[in-house]
Every structure is written in structure tokens, then in C-alpha cells.
């Protein structure tokens, strides 16, 4: 079991969740784009998978993640999900796993994820085994999913991508 750097420790969770008001790092004005049609508001309790499965909303969420410098998290989440659900031959699985590792876990790659070094080394060690399993990225996938669900999604729902009621 690895430490997930994206989930706050239990004692800090209240403080972490109290982030009301404007987020200085992602100013609301940055997303105001008159040429982009606004979405109807979504339920506050919408789940990440519901956004990812929504063909109307997903391009907006992708754009939001890119603009807020977390596009690599979303792209990894989508790529790892496809990898885990694909019906690959052993050779195809190894090649796909190496491609994901190179794109997201290699130090200084253009899409490098901010993950615990132990997680990175663990995946690297699994890549060096004779057989690469479909769940090689599972721990990182779960951490990135938590980050998207608990940080990116709430900020997206509160953004100017939506019509104000």
C-alpha cells in the first residue's frame, strides 16, 4: 500500500475542504470566454465517471483541466482506464504499459505526473517482470482519480463554464 500524495490526511480534511471563496491560483476571470457557450449547471453531487461519460460536458472538463495545469492527470486517468480494460496480448500490454510509463512517469516528461517516488519505482519494477499485468497502474490510477474527483471536479463545477442561476 502506497501513500497517495493527493488525498489529505484525515486530520487536515476539514481545513482542506473549507476552501471557500476565490481560488487565487485559478482566477475565475481566466475562464471567461464569450465565444464558448455556457453549460447548464450540473448537480453538485455528480460523480467523476458521470462527467467523463457525458459527451457534452467532457470537452469542457478537458479544457478546464488543461487550463488549470492538470491535463496530464485527466489524460493519465483516461489512458490507464483504457489500458486496464483492454484485451491485449502480452506483447501489446507490455508496449502499452511502457508507453504510459514513458509519457506520464518518466522524470521530466512533458506530461509527468506528480506522484510519490515509491509509486514510480514500483511501476518501473513491475515493467521489468516477465509478465506485465493489466493492473500495473492501479495504485496511481486510484490516487489520480481521487485528485480529479476531490479537487478538479469541484473547481470545474464552480467555474464560469456553467451558466449562473
Amino acid at each position: 500500500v502506497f501513500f497517495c500524495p493527493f488525498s489529505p490526511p484525515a486530520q487536515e480534511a476539514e481545513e482542506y475542504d473549507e476552501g471557500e471563496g476565490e481560488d487565487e491560483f485559478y482566477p475565475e476571470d481566466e475562464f471567461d470566454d464569450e465565444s464558448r457557450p455556457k453549460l447548464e449547471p450540473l448537480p453538485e453531487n455528480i460523480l467523476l465517471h458521470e462527467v467523463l461519460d457525458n459527451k457534452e460536458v467532457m470537452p469542457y472538463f478537458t479544457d478546464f483541466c488543461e487550463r488549470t495545469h492538470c491535463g496530464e492527470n485527466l489524460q493519465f486517468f483516461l489512458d490507464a482506464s483504457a489500458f486496464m480494460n483492454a484485451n491485449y496480448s502480452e506483447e501489446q500490454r507490455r508496449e502499452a504499459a511502457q508507453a504510459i510509463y514513458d509519457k506520464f512517469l518518466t522524470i521530466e516528461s512533458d506530461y509527468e505526473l506528480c506522484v510519490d517516488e515509491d509509486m514510480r519505482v514500483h511501476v518501473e519494477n513491475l515493467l521489468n517482470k516477465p509478465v506485465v499485468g493489466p493492473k500495473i497502474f492501479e495504485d496511481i490510477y486510484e490516487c489520480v482519480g481521487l485528485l480529479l474527483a476531490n479537487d478538479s471536479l469541484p473547481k470545474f463545477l464552480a467555474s464560469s463554464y456553467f451558466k449562473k442561476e
Side-chain angles (χ1 to χ4, degrees), residues 2-15:
F2 294 96
F3 167 71
C4 182
F6 305 125
S7 56
Q11 65 269 23
E12 295 178 20
E14 273 186 48
E15 181 181 320

Side-chain angles (χ1 to χ4, degrees), residues 6 12 20 22 53 98 104-105 112 123 135 137 160:
F6 305 125
E12 295 178 20
E20 294 180 13
E22 276 195 0
D53 291 341
Q98 187 66 55
F104 298 105
L105 299 172
E112 181 183 0
V123 170
K135 295 187 178 191
F137 301 109
S160 65

Side-chain angles (χ1 to χ4, degrees), residues 10 77 88 96 129 141 146 150-151 159:
F77 192 79
Y88 289 130
K129 295 209 179 256
Y141 174 83
L146 283 172
N150 296 327
D151 186 60
S159 74

Side-chain angles (χ1 to χ4, degrees), residues 60-72 74 148 152 156 161:
Y60 287 81
F61 186 56
T62 301
D63 183 61
F64 175 82
C65 287
E66 292 293 328
R67 288 177 181 236
T68 58
H69 311 288
C70 64
E72 70 280 358
L74 179 59
L148 289 169
S152 301
F156 172 64
Y161 282 78

Side-chain angles (χ1 to χ4, degrees), residues 43-140:
E44 286 183 25
N45 62 348
I46 193 167
L47 300 174
L48 179 61
H49 76 86
E50 293 172 312
V51 169
L52 299 180
D53 291 341
N54 187 316
K55 288 181 171 60
E56 179 187 8
V57 175
M58 183 56 180
Y60 287 81
F61 186 56
T62 301
D63 183 61
F64 175 82
C65 287
E66 292 293 328
R67 288 177 181 236
T68 58
H69 311 288
C70 64
E72 70 280 358
N73 294 329
L74 179 59
Q75 192 59 56
F76 170 81
F77 192 79
L78 296 171
D79 288 359
S81 178
F83 174 85
M84 291 187 292
N85 293 305
N87 188 16
Y88 289 130
S89 69
E90 177 53 36
E91 183 179 337
Q92 290 170 324
R93 183 178 302 114
R94 180 173 297 286
E95 288 174 7
Q98 187 66 55
I100 291 171
Y101 177 85
D102 291 346
K103 183 175 181 179
F104 298 105
L105 299 172
T106 303
I107 295 172
E108 296 187 23
S109 79
D110 290 341
Y111 297 97
E112 181 183 0
L113 293 175
C114 180
V115 297
D116 182 84
E117 182 63 20
D118 290 340
M119 293 176 119
R120 184 186 318 272
V121 169
H122 177 69
V123 170
E124 194 173 300
N125 290 337
L126 291 174
L127 277 171
N128 291 321
K129 295 209 179 256
V131 175
V132 174
K135 295 187 178 191
I136 186 173
F137 301 109
E138 186 174 44
D139 293 329
I140 298 172

